[in-house]
Amino acid sequence: MDKQAVTSADIAAAERVLGIAQTGPERDLLAGALAAQIDLARARRAVPLDERLAPACVFDPRLPGFAPPPAAPLRLPAADAPFPGDDDAAIAFAPARLQAAWVRAGHLTATRLAAICLDRIARLDPAIGAFARLNPAALDEAAALDARAARGDWAGPLHGVPWGCKDLIDTAGLVTDRGAEPFLGRLPEQDAVAVRRLRAAGAVLLGKTTVGALGYGDVWHGGRTRNPWNTEEGASGSSAGSAAAAAAGLCGFALGTETLGSIVAPAARCGAVGLRPSFGRIARTGTMPLCPSLDRLGPLCRDAGDAALILALLNGADPDDPSSLDIPFGGDAGRDPEGLRLGILAADFADPSAEAARAAIEHCRALGVVPVPVELPALPWESLVSLLMAEAAASFEPLTLSGADDLLARQDESAWPNQFRLARFLSAVDHIQLDRLRRRGMMAMRDLLAGVDLLAAPFGVGALPTLAAFTGHPCLCLPVGFTLSPPRPSAGIAADAPANAPARRVPAALCLWGRLFDEAPMLALGHALARRCALDLRPPHGLTGAT
């Protein structure tokens, strides 16, 4: 296109796309200037930018005057139970801290524990699809840890615990293809920082858990990851494999990532405990960049105490992640929650789907927690999602401009390829204004949490989940009951089950939000609430639904 090619008619058509209107004379003035602006954009697009290059503007969730909680040692809930002997299922579903304690006590070897999980994967995962690939060295790594233990040399608090790693977190020598066709066969040379920290703690990598293509949904190039409670529906996304694997007892815990719901959504669907820490707490070096101002890593497991331990092991900055912060993680994650003030958005709990969450609040009352009504300012928080779309489109601009986005199998209206293309039509001015609205949201969350210790809402209801993702606040999602439900859609995909598919008994979740960099009270209440609810969180033997 030459510099005279843009006409007033072109501009008028573009205005309809942007939702604005200008006069004829204004369009004539623009027509003469747009060609130079287009040339500048083309010059920039011609320069390849390494995906690891962070934006110059780095998001910091801390408002002026922020002070982290006083430094304190981390105290975890007790993890003590008799060793179940030959009951492999009981071993598989035990909390990771208990598995590690049994290994350290000599009741169990790392090799046997890894073999139990690998056997479960072989038998159950064909119906779930939680693992994209296994680590061929898993048993060797476990045997090496057993040899160290025989010498009295313990690697760390997760010595011998098998885990699964979301397949957009790099693992040296083990394919990490991000669930997406354009990256098939991608082989990292180095472990991500989080992987190195877990290896140092003694965890045994079983394999790569499935991820919705490029961090979206539960569909990847190998198929769809399914909810172990009802395999006629997806596991939700995008940490679908990590949540499903933890919930089905295929590993001690798994590592996930979240931009907007990718830890908490599959945790809620599958009946796992999902922790999204404060933004910046865990360095993301070696993790696929999707939205630099939103992306976070966090554990998916079966126990809030495990989530606290794993967060402690992962906590800390890295120089190659300019968003990461060195803020100590501590506090009493096993304390009695009596006296905690829990902010409740009444309208969210009035939703018909919130029955289990309402019951959970009554359990909180019985624990001595004080529910306090709070209100979120009625502003268009959902519009912040356009920030996410713009960042994601920038991260994967090479796919869009080269046409390689056509390689992605999923090409419907809500899938990434279309969202990347759609983002090209977002207004830069609107983007800056959305950033200002984001700061307004940070102020709103600060004010909400000024009079309470925590916030609570049923999963998937109201504006709080979206707002808190953009403000950087931590969230804990945990199962608090069950509900009967027919197969449900996830991330724009209908459940691929017959129209008359029966309702199944599936977990129902509650979400808790805490103050920035103050996760311990949230984890303490989560642990106490789980103990009080005392749910049997083992999915049906043989799995329910499709095979």
Side-chain angles (χ1 to χ4, degrees):
M1 181 184 293
D2 60 47
K3 292 187 179 182
Q4 303 303 317
V6 179
T7 68
S8 293
D10 294 329
I11 295 168
E15 289 168 13
R16 291 195 296 275
V17 174
L18 293 172
I20 61 173
Q22 299 174 103
T23 66
E26 290 169 341
R27 292 175 191 136
D28 291 339
L29 283 172
L30 282 170
L34 272 171
Q37 184 168 294
I38 292 169
D39 285 346
L40 290 174
R42 285 177 169 163
R44 197 277 309 154
R45 291 173 196 154
V47 178
L49 298 174
D50 191 304
E51 67 170 25
R52 296 168 295 181
L53 185 64
C57 295
V58 175
F59 176 66
D60 189 331
R62 299 169 296 178
L63 288 167
F66 169 82
L74 176 65
R75 295 182 179 177
L76 298 173
D80 187 21
F83 180 63
D86 293 331
D87 188 346
D88 286 356
I91 294 171
F93 279 101
R97 291 172 301 129
L98 197 49
Q99 292 174 344
W102 289 335
V103 171
R104 190 170 287 264
H107 299 309
L108 184 65
T109 64
T111 304
R112 181 184 169 196
L113 183 52
I116 288 172
C117 290
L118 290 169
D119 175 69
R120 291 182 63 81
I121 292 169
R123 289 187 292 108
L124 302 176
D125 201 45
I128 302 172
F131 279 88
R133 64 196 59 84
L134 296 178
N135 174 16
L139 287 175
D140 291 338
E141 292 177 14
L145 286 167
D146 287 334
R148 289 181 61 176
R151 303 191 299 269
D153 177 15
W154 297 94
L158 291 175
H159 186 110
V161 176
W163 71 288
C165 182
K166 186 174 179 178
D167 198 27
L168 50 68
I169 302 169
D170 283 352
T171 43
L174 189 58
V175 166
T176 303
D177 61 22
R178 303 169 173 179
E181 292 83 353
F183 295 94
L184 284 172
R186 179 182 173 276
L187 192 65
E189 295 181 357
Q190 294 183 326
D191 284 336
V193 164
V195 175
R196 294 204 300 268
R197 290 173 179 173
L198 289 174
R199 287 190 190 278
V204 176
L205 178 62
L206 289 179
K208 305 308 290 285
T209 52
T210 53
V211 51
L214 302 181
Y216 192 105
D218 51 30
V219 174
W220 62 295
H221 65 69
R224 188 175 196 182
T225 306
R226 299 182 178 277
N227 178 6
W229 291 87
N230 184 0
T231 53
E232 290 186 328
E233 66 180 10
S236 190
S238 68
S239 301
S242 292
L250 306 184
C251 55
F253 70 94
L255 190 57
T257 67
E258 172 159 330
T259 303
L260 180 61
S262 288
I263 288 174
V264 297
R269 177 69 61 91
C270 298
V273 173
L275 173 61
R276 181 189 73 202
S278 299
F279 180 84
R281 192 177 268 295
I282 300 174
R284 303 165 301 182
T285 309
T287 300
M288 183 192 85
L290 181 62
C291 299
S293 78
L294 285 160
D295 297 340
R296 301 183 229 182
L297 285 84
L300 286 137
C301 41
R302 294 180 293 273
D303 176 83
D306 286 353
L309 172 60
I310 295 161
L311 176 56
L313 295 169
L314 294 174
N315 183 62
D318 180 78
D320 288 328
D321 178 2
S323 293
S324 60
L325 300 166
D326 266 325
I327 295 181
F329 169 58
D332 192 348
R335 60 165 281 191
D336 183 340
E338 183 176 3
L340 286 176
R341 292 169 60 83
L342 183 64
I344 302 293
L345 284 84
D348 292 353
F349 282 89
D351 190 276
S353 67
E355 182 178 355
R358 290 191 291 270
I361 297 303
E362 295 309 309
H363 283 305
C364 289
R365 289 184 194 273
L367 289 166
V369 174
V370 182
V372 178
V374 295
E375 291 187 13
L376 188 65
L379 291 172
W381 306 121
E382 294 296 332
S383 64
L384 292 171
V385 173
S386 290
L387 291 173
L388 183 160
M389 296 304 175
E391 289 191 38
S395 292
F396 290 100
E397 182 183 59
L399 293 185
T400 306
L401 297 183
S402 69
D405 55 347
D406 291 331
L407 296 173
L408 287 156
R410 189 178 166 202
Q411 292 285 340
D412 58 80
E413 184 178 284
S414 63
W416 266 148
N418 194 57
Q419 295 297 324
F420 294 159
R421 299 168 199 139
L422 191 63
R424 309 299 300 194
F425 297 93
L426 291 170
S427 159
V429 175
D430 285 335
H431 190 93
I432 299 299
Q433 300 293 57
L434 284 170
D435 241 359
R436 298 176 72 195
L437 178 63
R438 186 179 193 174
R439 182 166 287 269
R440 178 67 183 84
M442 294 161 66
M443 296 163 66
M445 287 294 289
R446 177 197 60 194
D447 294 345
L448 270 183
L449 285 160
V452 297
D453 300 293
L454 303 169
L455 299 169
F459 169 76
V461 176
L464 182 57
T466 296
L467 178 58
F470 282 89
T471 60
H473 284 76
C475 179
L476 181 71
C477 181
L478 72 159
V480 292
F482 293 96
T483 187
L484 286 174
S485 174
R488 297 160 288 183
S490 52
I493 305 176
D496 49 354
N500 60 349
R504 304 284 188 188
R505 185 173 179 266
V506 293
L510 180 74
C511 288
L512 303 173
W513 288 266
R515 297 190 181 109
L516 286 170
F517 301 98
D518 192 16
E519 288 89 349
M522 181 178 70
L523 290 160
L525 178 55
H527 176 74
L529 186 56
R531 286 175 61 88
R532 181 171 177 84
C533 292
L535 304 178
D536 182 358
L537 289 168
R538 300 187 191 190
H541 178 71
L543 306 176
T544 300
T547 58

Coordinates of all heavy atoms in Angstrom, one line a residue, residues 163-227:
W163 N 5.5 -35.6 40.5 CA 4.7 -34.4 40.1 C 4.6 -34.3 38.6 O 5.3 -34.9 37.8 CB 5.3 -33.1 40.7 CG 6.6 -32.7 40.1 CD1 7.8 -33.3 40.2 CD2 6.8 -31.5 39.2 NE1 8.8 -32.6 39.5 CE2 8.2 -31.5 38.9 CE3 6.0 -30.5 38.7 CZ2 8.8 -30.5 38.1 CZ3 6.6 -29.5 37.9 CH2 7.9 -29.5 37.6
G164 N 3.6 -33.5 38.2 CA 3.4 -33.3 36.7 C 3.6 -31.8 36.4 O 3.2 -30.9 37.2
C165 N 4.1 -31.5 35.3 CA 4.5 -30.1 34.9 C 3.7 -29.7 33.7 O 3.7 -30.4 32.6 CB 6.0 -30.1 34.6 SG 6.6 -28.4 34.1
K166 N 3.0 -28.6 33.8 CA 2.2 -28.1 32.7 C 3.0 -27.9 31.4 O 4.2 -27.4 31.5 CB 1.5 -26.8 33.1 CG 0.5 -26.2 32.0 CD -0.2 -25.0 32.6 CE -1.1 -24.4 31.5 NZ -1.9 -23.2 32.1
D167 N 2.5 -28.3 30.3 CA 3.3 -28.4 29.1 C 3.6 -27.1 28.4 O 3.7 -27.0 27.1 CB 2.7 -29.4 28.1 CG 3.7 -29.9 27.1 OD1 4.9 -29.9 27.3 OD2 3.3 -30.3 26.0
L168 N 3.6 -26.0 29.1 CA 4.2 -24.8 28.6 C 5.2 -24.2 29.5 O 5.7 -23.1 29.4 CB 3.1 -23.7 28.3 CG 2.0 -23.4 29.3 CD1 2.6 -22.6 30.5 CD2 0.9 -22.5 28.7
I169 N 5.7 -25.1 30.4 CA 6.8 -24.8 31.3 C 8.0 -25.6 30.9 O 7.9 -26.9 30.8 CB 6.4 -25.1 32.8 CG1 5.2 -24.3 33.2 CG2 7.6 -24.8 33.7 CD1 4.6 -24.7 34.5
D170 N 9.1 -25.0 30.5 CA 10.2 -25.7 29.9 C 10.8 -26.8 30.8 O 11.0 -26.5 32.0 CB 11.3 -24.7 29.5 CG 10.9 -24.0 28.2 OD1 9.9 -24.4 27.6 OD2 11.7 -23.1 27.8
T171 N 11.1 -27.9 30.2 CA 11.8 -29.0 30.9 C 13.0 -29.5 29.9 O 12.7 -29.9 28.8 CB 10.9 -30.2 31.2 OG1 10.1 -30.4 30.0 CG2 10.0 -29.9 32.3
A172 N 14.2 -29.4 30.4 CA 15.3 -29.7 29.5 C 15.3 -31.1 29.0 O 15.1 -32.0 29.8 CB 16.6 -29.5 30.3
G173 N 15.4 -31.2 27.7 CA 15.4 -32.6 27.1 C 14.1 -33.3 27.0 O 14.0 -34.4 26.5
L174 N 13.0 -32.6 27.4 CA 11.7 -33.2 27.4 C 10.8 -32.2 26.6 O 10.6 -31.1 27.0 CB 11.1 -33.5 28.8 CG 9.8 -34.3 28.9 CD1 10.0 -35.7 28.3 CD2 9.4 -34.4 30.3
V175 N 10.2 -32.7 25.5 CA 9.4 -31.9 24.6 C 8.4 -31.0 25.4 O 7.7 -31.6 26.3 CB 8.7 -32.7 23.5 CG1 7.6 -31.9 22.8 CG2 9.7 -33.3 22.5
T176 N 8.4 -29.8 25.0 CA 7.4 -28.8 25.6 C 6.8 -28.1 24.5 O 7.3 -27.1 24.0 CB 8.1 -27.9 26.6 OG1 8.8 -28.6 27.6 CG2 7.1 -26.9 27.2
D177 N 5.7 -28.6 23.9 CA 5.1 -28.0 22.7 C 3.9 -27.2 22.9 O 3.3 -26.8 21.9 CB 4.9 -29.1 21.7 CG 3.8 -30.2 22.1 OD1 3.0 -29.9 23.0 OD2 3.8 -31.3 21.6
R178 N 3.6 -26.9 24.2 CA 2.6 -25.9 24.5 C 1.2 -26.3 24.0 O 0.3 -25.4 23.8 CB 3.0 -24.5 23.9 CG 4.3 -24.1 24.5 CD 4.9 -22.8 23.7 NE 6.1 -22.3 24.4 CZ 6.8 -21.3 24.0 NH1 6.4 -20.7 22.9 NH2 7.8 -20.9 24.6
G179 N 1.0 -27.6 23.7 CA -0.3 -28.1 23.3 C -0.7 -27.6 21.9 O -1.9 -27.8 21.5
A180 N 0.2 -27.0 21.1 CA -0.1 -26.3 19.9 C 0.7 -26.8 18.7 O 1.9 -27.0 18.8 CB 0.1 -24.8 20.1
E181 N 0.0 -27.0 17.6 CA 0.7 -27.6 16.4 C 1.9 -26.8 15.9 O 2.9 -27.4 15.5 CB -0.4 -27.7 15.2 CG -1.5 -28.7 15.5 CD -2.6 -28.2 16.3 OE1 -2.5 -27.1 16.9 OE2 -3.6 -28.9 16.4
P182 N 1.9 -25.5 16.0 CA 3.1 -24.8 15.5 C 4.4 -25.1 16.3 O 5.5 -24.8 15.8 CB 2.7 -23.3 15.6 CG 1.2 -23.3 15.6 CD 0.8 -24.5 16.3
F183 N 4.2 -25.6 17.5 CA 5.4 -25.9 18.3 C 5.7 -27.4 18.5 O 6.4 -27.8 19.4 CB 5.2 -25.2 19.7 CG 5.1 -23.7 19.6 CD1 3.9 -23.0 19.5 CD2 6.3 -23.0 19.6 CE1 3.9 -21.7 19.4 CE2 6.3 -21.6 19.5 CZ 5.0 -20.9 19.4
L184 N 5.1 -28.2 17.6 CA 5.3 -29.7 17.7 C 6.8 -30.0 17.8 O 7.6 -29.5 16.9 CB 4.7 -30.4 16.6 CG 3.1 -30.5 16.7 CD1 2.6 -31.1 15.4 CD2 2.7 -31.4 17.8
G185 N 7.2 -30.8 18.7 CA 8.6 -31.2 18.8 C 9.6 -30.2 19.4 O 10.8 -30.5 19.5
R186 N 9.1 -29.1 19.9 CA 9.9 -28.1 20.5 C 10.6 -28.7 21.8 O 10.0 -29.2 22.7 CB 9.1 -26.9 20.9 CG 9.8 -25.8 21.6 CD 8.9 -24.6 22.0 NE 9.6 -23.7 22.8 CZ 9.8 -23.7 24.1 NH1 9.3 -24.8 24.8 NH2 10.5 -22.8 24.8
L187 N 12.0 -28.6 21.8 CA 12.8 -29.3 22.8 C 13.6 -28.3 23.6 O 14.6 -27.8 23.0 CB 13.7 -30.4 22.2 CG 14.3 -31.3 23.1 CD1 13.3 -32.2 23.9 CD2 15.3 -32.2 22.4
P188 N 13.2 -27.9 24.8 CA 14.0 -26.9 25.5 C 15.3 -27.4 25.9 O 15.5 -28.6 26.2 CB 13.1 -26.6 26.8 CG 11.8 -27.2 26.5 CD 12.0 -28.3 25.5
E189 N 16.3 -26.5 26.0 CA 17.6 -26.9 26.5 C 17.8 -26.7 28.0 O 18.7 -27.3 28.5 CB 18.7 -26.0 25.7 CG 18.7 -26.2 24.2 CD 19.7 -25.4 23.5 OE1 20.4 -24.6 24.2 OE2 19.9 -25.5 22.3
Q190 N 16.9 -25.9 28.6 CA 17.1 -25.6 30.0 C 15.7 -25.8 30.7 O 14.7 -25.6 30.1 CB 17.6 -24.2 30.3 CG 19.0 -23.9 29.8 CD 19.4 -22.5 30.1 OE1 18.6 -21.6 30.1 NE2 20.7 -22.4 30.4
D191 N 15.8 -26.2 32.0 CA 14.6 -26.2 32.8 C 14.2 -24.8 33.1 O 15.0 -23.9 33.3 CB 14.9 -26.9 34.2 CG 15.0 -28.4 34.0 OD1 14.4 -29.0 33.1 OD2 15.6 -29.1 34.9
A192 N 12.9 -24.6 33.3 CA 12.4 -23.3 33.8 C 12.9 -23.2 35.3 O 13.2 -24.2 35.9 CB 10.9 -23.3 33.7
V193 N 12.9 -22.0 35.7 CA 13.3 -21.7 37.1 C 12.5 -22.5 38.1 O 13.0 -23.1 39.0 CB 13.3 -20.2 37.4 CG1 13.3 -20.0 38.9 CG2 14.4 -19.5 36.8
A194 N 11.2 -22.6 37.9 CA 10.3 -23.3 38.8 C 10.6 -24.8 38.8 O 10.6 -25.4 39.8 CB 8.8 -23.1 38.4
V195 N 11.0 -25.3 37.6 CA 11.3 -26.8 37.5 C 12.6 -27.0 38.3 O 12.7 -28.0 39.1 CB 11.4 -27.2 36.1 CG1 11.9 -28.6 36.0 CG2 10.1 -27.0 35.4
R196 N 13.6 -26.1 38.2 CA 14.8 -26.3 38.9 C 14.6 -26.3 40.4 O 15.2 -27.1 41.2 CB 15.8 -25.2 38.5 CG 16.3 -25.2 37.1 CD 17.6 -24.5 36.9 NE 17.6 -23.1 37.3 CZ 17.4 -22.1 36.4 NH1 17.1 -22.4 35.1 NH2 17.4 -20.9 36.8
R197 N 13.7 -25.4 40.9 CA 13.4 -25.3 42.3 C 12.8 -26.6 42.8 O 13.0 -27.0 43.9 CB 12.6 -24.1 42.6 CG 13.4 -22.8 42.4 CD 12.6 -21.5 42.5 NE 13.4 -20.3 42.3 CZ 13.0 -19.1 42.2 NH1 11.7 -18.9 42.3 NH2 13.8 -18.1 42.0
L198 N 11.9 -27.2 42.0 CA 11.2 -28.4 42.5 C 12.1 -29.6 42.4 O 12.1 -30.4 43.3 CB 9.9 -28.6 41.6 CG 8.8 -27.6 41.8 CD1 7.7 -27.9 40.8 CD2 8.3 -27.8 43.3
R199 N 13.0 -29.6 41.4 CA 14.0 -30.7 41.4 C 14.9 -30.6 42.7 O 15.2 -31.6 43.3 CB 14.8 -30.6 40.1 CG 14.2 -31.0 38.8 CD 15.2 -31.1 37.7 NE 14.6 -31.2 36.4 CZ 14.2 -32.4 35.9 NH1 14.3 -33.5 36.6 NH2 13.7 -32.5 34.7
A200 N 15.3 -29.4 43.0 CA 16.2 -29.2 44.2 C 15.5 -29.6 45.4 O 16.1 -30.0 46.4 CB 16.6 -27.7 44.3
A201 N 14.1 -29.6 45.5 CA 13.4 -30.0 46.6 C 13.1 -31.5 46.7 O 12.5 -32.0 47.6 CB 12.0 -29.3 46.7
G202 N 13.6 -32.2 45.6 CA 13.5 -33.7 45.6 C 12.3 -34.2 44.9 O 12.1 -35.4 44.9
A203 N 11.5 -33.4 44.2 CA 10.3 -33.9 43.5 C 10.7 -34.6 42.2 O 11.7 -34.3 41.6 CB 9.4 -32.7 43.1
V204 N 10.0 -35.7 41.9 CA 10.3 -36.5 40.7 C 9.3 -36.2 39.6 O 8.1 -36.3 39.7 CB 10.1 -38.0 41.1 CG1 10.3 -38.9 39.9 CG2 11.1 -38.4 42.2
L205 N 9.9 -35.7 38.5 CA 9.0 -35.3 37.4 C 8.5 -36.5 36.6 O 9.3 -37.3 36.1 CB 9.8 -34.4 36.4 CG 9.1 -34.0 35.1 CD1 7.9 -33.1 35.5 CD2 10.0 -33.2 34.2
L206 N 7.2 -36.7 36.7 CA 6.6 -37.9 36.0 C 6.4 -37.6 34.5 O 6.5 -38.5 33.6 CB 5.2 -38.2 36.6 CG 5.1 -38.8 37.9 CD1 3.7 -39.0 38.3 CD2 5.9 -40.1 37.9
G207 N 6.1 -36.3 34.1 CA 5.9 -36.0 32.7 C 5.2 -34.6 32.6 O 5.0 -33.9 33.5
K208 N 4.8 -34.3 31.3 CA 4.2 -33.1 31.0 C 2.7 -33.2 30.9 O 2.2 -34.0 30.2 CB 4.7 -32.5 29.7 CG 6.2 -32.4 29.6 CD 6.9 -31.7 30.7 CE 6.6 -30.2 30.7 NZ 7.3 -29.4 29.7
T209 N 2.0 -32.4 31.7 CA 0.5 -32.4 31.7 C 0.0 -31.5 30.6 O 0.6 -30.5 30.2 CB 0.0 -31.9 33.1 OG1 0.6 -30.7 33.4 CG2 0.3 -33.0 34.2
T210 N -1.2 -31.9 30.1 CA -1.7 -31.3 28.9 C -2.2 -29.9 29.2 O -2.6 -29.5 30.3 CB -2.9 -32.1 28.4 OG1 -3.9 -32.3 29.5 CG2 -2.5 -33.4 27.9
V211 N -2.1 -29.1 28.2 CA -2.5 -27.7 28.3 C -3.3 -27.3 27.0 O -2.9 -27.7 25.9 CB -1.2 -26.7 28.3 CG1 -0.2 -27.1 27.2 CG2 -1.6 -25.3 28.3
G212 N -4.4 -26.6 27.2 CA -5.1 -26.1 26.1 C -4.2 -25.3 25.2 O -3.3 -24.6 25.7
A213 N -4.3 -25.5 23.9 CA -3.3 -24.9 22.9 C -3.0 -23.4 23.3 O -3.8 -22.6 23.3 CB -3.8 -25.0 21.5
L214 N -1.7 -23.2 23.5 CA -1.1 -21.9 23.9 C -1.8 -21.3 25.1 O -2.0 -20.1 25.2 CB -1.2 -20.9 22.7 CG -0.5 -21.4 21.4 CD1 -0.6 -20.4 20.3 CD2 1.0 -21.7 21.7
G215 N -2.3 -22.1 26.0 CA -2.8 -21.6 27.3 C -4.3 -21.2 27.2 O -4.7 -20.3 27.9
Y216 N -5.1 -21.9 26.3 CA -6.5 -21.6 26.2 C -7.3 -22.9 26.2 O -7.2 -23.7 25.3 CB -6.7 -20.8 24.9 CG -8.1 -20.1 24.8 CD1 -8.2 -18.8 25.0 CD2 -9.2 -20.9 24.5 CE1 -9.4 -18.1 24.9 CE2 -10.5 -20.3 24.4 CZ -10.6 -18.9 24.6 OH -11.8 -18.3 24.5
G217 N -8.2 -23.0 27.2 CA -9.1 -24.1 27.2 C -8.5 -25.5 27.5 O -7.4 -25.5 28.0
D218 N -9.3 -26.5 27.2 CA -8.8 -27.9 27.5 C -8.6 -28.7 26.2 O -8.4 -30.0 26.3 CB -9.8 -28.6 28.5 CG -11.2 -28.5 28.0 OD1 -11.4 -28.5 26.8 OD2 -12.1 -28.5 28.9
V219 N -8.5 -28.1 25.1 CA -8.3 -28.8 23.8 C -6.9 -28.5 23.4 O -6.5 -27.4 23.3 CB -9.3 -28.4 22.7 CG1 -9.0 -29.0 21.4 CG2 -10.7 -28.8 23.1
W220 N -6.1 -29.6 23.1 CA -4.8 -29.4 22.6 C -4.6 -30.3 21.4 O -5.5 -30.9 20.9 CB -3.8 -29.8 23.7 CG -3.9 -31.3 24.2 CD1 -5.0 -31.8 24.8 CD2 -2.9 -32.3 24.1 NE1 -4.7 -33.1 25.1 CE2 -3.5 -33.5 24.6 CE3 -1.6 -32.3 23.5 CZ2 -2.8 -34.7 24.7 CZ3 -0.9 -33.5 23.6 CH2 -1.5 -34.7 24.2
H221 N -3.4 -30.3 20.8 CA -3.2 -31.0 19.5 C -3.4 -32.5 19.7 O -3.6 -33.2 18.6 CB -1.8 -30.7 18.9 CG -0.7 -31.2 19.7 ND1 -0.4 -32.6 19.9 CD2 0.3 -30.6 20.4 CE1 0.7 -32.7 20.6 NE2 1.2 -31.5 20.9
G222 N -3.4 -33.1 20.9 CA -3.7 -34.5 21.0 C -5.1 -34.8 21.4 O -5.4 -36.0 21.6
G223 N -6.0 -33.9 21.5 CA -7.4 -34.1 21.8 C -7.9 -33.2 22.9 O -7.5 -32.0 23.0
R224 N -8.7 -33.8 23.8 CA -9.3 -33.0 24.9 C -9.0 -33.6 26.2 O -9.2 -34.8 26.4 CB -10.8 -32.8 24.7 CG -11.5 -31.9 25.6 CD -12.9 -31.7 25.3 NE -13.5 -30.5 25.9 CZ -14.7 -30.1 25.9 NH1 -15.6 -30.8 25.2 NH2 -15.1 -29.0 26.5
T225 N -8.6 -32.8 27.2 CA -8.5 -33.3 28.6 C -9.8 -33.3 29.3 O -10.6 -32.3 29.2 CB -7.5 -32.4 29.3 OG1 -6.3 -32.3 28.6 CG2 -7.2 -33.0 30.7
R226 N -10.1 -34.4 30.0 CA -11.4 -34.6 30.6 C -11.4 -34.6 32.1 O -10.4 -34.9 32.7 CB -12.0 -35.9 30.0 CG -12.1 -35.9 28.5 CD -12.7 -37.1 27.9 NE -12.8 -37.0 26.5 CZ -13.8 -36.3 25.8 NH1 -14.8 -35.8 26.5 NH2 -13.8 -36.2 24.5
N227 N -12.6 -34.2 32.6 CA -12.8 -34.2 34.0 C -12.9 -35.6 34.6 O -13.7 -36.4 34.1 CB -14.1 -33.4 34.3 CG -14.5 -33.4 35.8 OD1 -13.7 -33.8 36.7 ND2 -15.6 -32.8 36.1

